């Protein structure tokens, strides 16, 4: 179980690293970047069952602000 948590944290770190490289997110604080990274993670479709974590948890696709 700890390996799963570590994998999720690794994904979140990768998302944050990628966001920091984008000019529109360079001035964001870490709280905002973590929220965005979490949203991105929860919107990713699984290769196993074709659903997002948000869909499995809430029964619907996540609402992504545009």
């Amino acid at each position: 179980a700890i390996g799963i948590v570590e994998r999720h944290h690794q994904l979140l770190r990768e998302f944050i690293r990628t966001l920091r490289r984008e000019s529109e997110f360079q001035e964001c604080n870490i709280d905002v970047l973590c929220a965005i990274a979490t949203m991105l993670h929860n919107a990713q479709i699984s290769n196993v069952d074709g659903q997002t974590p948000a869909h499995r948890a809430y029964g619907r696709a996540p609402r992504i602000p545009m």
Side-chain angles (χ1 to χ4, degrees), residues 6 10-12 17 25 31-33 41 43 51 56-57 59 61:
E6 290 174 359
Q10 179 183 5
L11 287 170
L12 292 174
R17 216 174 286 124
F25 296 108
D31 293 333
V32 172
L33 291 174
H41 173 70
Q51 294 185 347
R56 282 191 297 275

Side-chain angles (χ1 to χ4, degrees), residues 4-66:
I4 293 171
V5 172
E6 290 174 359
R7 176 69 181 138
H8 287 286
H9 287 177
Q10 179 183 5
L11 287 170
L12 292 174
R13 280 192 301 272
E14 289 175 20
F15 282 138
I16 291 169
R17 216 174 286 124
T18 302
L19 287 169
R20 289 237 167 153
R21 283 189 225 124
E22 298 292 326
S23 61
E24 60 197 273
F25 296 108
Q26 287 180 351
E27 299 299 319
C28 292
N29 66 31
I30 192 67
D31 293 333
V32 172
L33 291 174
C34 285
I36 295 169
T38 302
M39 181 192 66
L40 290 171
H41 173 70
N42 288 337
Q44 280 192 319
I45 296 173
S46 170
N47 291 332
V48 176
D49 63 4
Q51 294 185 347
T52 65
H55 192 271
R56 282 191 297 275
Y58 303 115
R60 62 173 172 75
R63 295 183 192 146
I64 300 176
M66 294 290 164

